[in-house]
Amino acid sequence: MNRMKLALMADMHYYSPSLGTEGSAYEKRSATDQKCLAESGAIVDAAFHLVGAGDCDAVLLAGDLSNDGEKVSHQEMMEKIRKLSEQKPVFVVYATHDWCCSEDAARYVEDQVITGDVPTMTPAELREFYYDYGVKGCISEFVHPNGSSSYCAKIKDGFRLLGLNDDRNGKGKAGYTPEHLAWILQQIKDAKEAGDEIIAMQHHLLFPCLSKLVNGGMLIGDWEEMTNILADAGLEYIFVGHSHMQRNAKYTTKNGNTIYQINLGSITGHPAPYTYFTLDKQRAQLDVMTLKSFTYNGQILGADYIRDHTLGVLKNLVDNADKGREALTEQLKGYGIDFSGVKVPYGIIRTAARHLKNDSVKKAASIVNFFTFGKGIDKKAAAELKDEKLITYIYEIFLSVFDGTMHPHAPSTAVYRVVADVASLPKRVCAVLPIKALKKESVQNTLNDIEHTLKELVYPSEFNNYHTVIDRKAK
């Protein structure tokens, strides 16, 4: 039976050690990043070794191959891809971080962040640089005005891949120009007429993988219109990156056509996922693996190292909020938030941080219930958690954003019931307040989105993000 198995990865964000991995400037940069930059090469090597030795037919890399488009990072990343291609065919797409759309490629020397002298690559240069990994030997190619490229390639007999560069839609957002869309639709039509399966890979999300509240800025520009067009044209599966979230989603059009989106987490951030996708006439299957260990500077490091680094993005913020105004201000600058000259109620922030770090779930629930006349949080559920720290669950939910809820809590559990009450609290409070503006549809939609998002982070309602089987009609 005709069958294809792919290994999928995204958001390598490979960072050349030659750009600096020591000193206070680099440490500040690293502390605000979910990904492991200095260790990115070692992590990519470990992941490539595993998929290269496996039984997949090809490896797909869904963009952001480099950290910020640095030429030296691309050159070193290419050596890793070349080595992998000796074992498996490799197909890549590149994205905004590969040509440094923000124009801020940097290197770090002691306490200095140096920009302006780090060579980067243009979209046109990237097409030539990665030519062998998609464009070479392809069925058809679409060259964008900026010189970047999309392609349709045959992975194996009966299976085609659309490698889409979706950086521009002609309106200043990610997506497709009318000419690009026409080319995409023609490729789907040609594949169907030839009796081939066709799948797609791009960097940005085609539609929300969690909610519009969280994913709104991660989508292609005309996402709803484009999703309907592609699904109705017959595209069933698309692999994306960008959000760094390991999460599956589906969208069904009014015509009854469904498209499945596999949002790949960053391989260099928690949970360091690589996904196997198997497709035949009867079913599609997703199996997500996570990197267990890698070797960096002669030391074997485990998955907990990557997890703790990702968690540090939030943990450092909470800790610095408790340390003092200066520490918090410095941390926020690392996120691009500058409160200089702005009067910030630091005392309130510090008090909130201390409650978050020190209170138990039960105590936090009692505070909420005091202000909501006992109707805020399920008392029995909070009591079941006894003296467990509130911060433990806050950190777990934060990690769930990236890992697709690696540790789910079923609706029957105390954790889920408490989170569900917290999630619905804004909507319940707004319902009793005599303020007309709160009754607007836009406000209600946002409140519903908040509730849905928090519940999904505790227990995914539609997909198991680590193992999913999709039954298909015989074709």
Side-chain angles (χ1 to χ4, degrees), residues 377 393 397 414-424 454-455 458:
I377 308 296
Y393 293 104
I397 291 172
V415 172
Y416 183 90
R417 282 148 50 206
V418 169
V419 171
D421 279 347
V422 172
S424 67
L454 285 174
K455 288 180 178 178
V458 177

Side-chain angles (χ1 to χ4, degrees), residues 253-407:
T253 71
K254 292 180 180 178
N255 295 325
N257 297 303
T258 298
I259 184 169
Y260 294 89
Q261 177 179 262
I262 297 87
N263 193 176
L264 308 165
S266 171
I267 185 62
T268 52
H270 174 77
Y274 55 101
T275 299
Y276 288 111
F277 175 78
T278 306
L279 182 68
D280 59 33
K281 294 293 185 183
Q282 279 67 48
R283 67 178 189 173
Q285 180 170 321
L286 286 159
D287 297 289
V288 179
M289 316 299 289
T290 57
L291 195 64
K292 303 304 179 187
S293 64
F294 63 98
T295 301
Y296 177 67
N297 285 347
Q299 184 178 3
I300 298 176
L301 302 173
D304 57 334
Y305 180 92
I306 302 175
R307 179 203 64 211
D308 291 347
H309 180 86
T310 293
L311 186 58
V313 173
L314 177 60
K315 189 175 185 298
N316 293 338
L317 191 60
V318 174
D319 288 345
N320 284 328
D322 189 29
K323 287 179 181 177
R325 188 187 303 273
E326 186 176 337
L328 177 61
T329 300
E330 193 64 27
Q331 182 74 19
L332 289 174
K333 283 182 180 179
Y335 297 116
I337 303 171
D338 191 353
F339 280 151
S340 300
V342 179
K343 188 174 182 180
V344 178
Y346 175 71
I348 295 174
I349 294 173
R350 179 175 58 189
T351 300
R354 289 180 176 176
H355 277 294
L356 286 176
K357 291 171 64 176
N358 301 318
D359 285 2
S360 66
V361 173
K362 185 177 179 180
K363 182 177 179 180
S366 68
I367 294 173
V368 172
N369 283 335
F370 174 80
F371 289 103
T372 58
F373 306 101
K375 297 180 179 181
I377 308 296
D378 185 324
K379 294 179 182 178
K380 184 177 180 181
E384 285 183 41
L385 298 177
K386 298 181 179 178
D387 295 324
E388 293 188 50
K389 291 288 187 180
L390 174 64
I391 197 68
T392 300
Y393 293 104
I394 290 175
Y395 288 158
E396 183 181 293
I397 291 172
F398 175 77
L399 291 175
S400 292
V401 171
F402 303 103
D403 66 27
T405 316
M406 184 179 285
H407 304 291

Side-chain angles (χ1 to χ4, degrees), residues 2 30 56 75 92 127 155 169 189 225 232 273 292 294 362 371 465:
N2 209 8
S30 177
C56 63
Q75 290 169 334
V92 310
R127 176 191 174 274
I155 298 176
N169 68 355
K189 180 182 177 182
E225 179 186 0
D232 285 341
K292 303 304 179 187
F294 63 98
K362 185 177 179 180
F371 289 103
N465 291 312

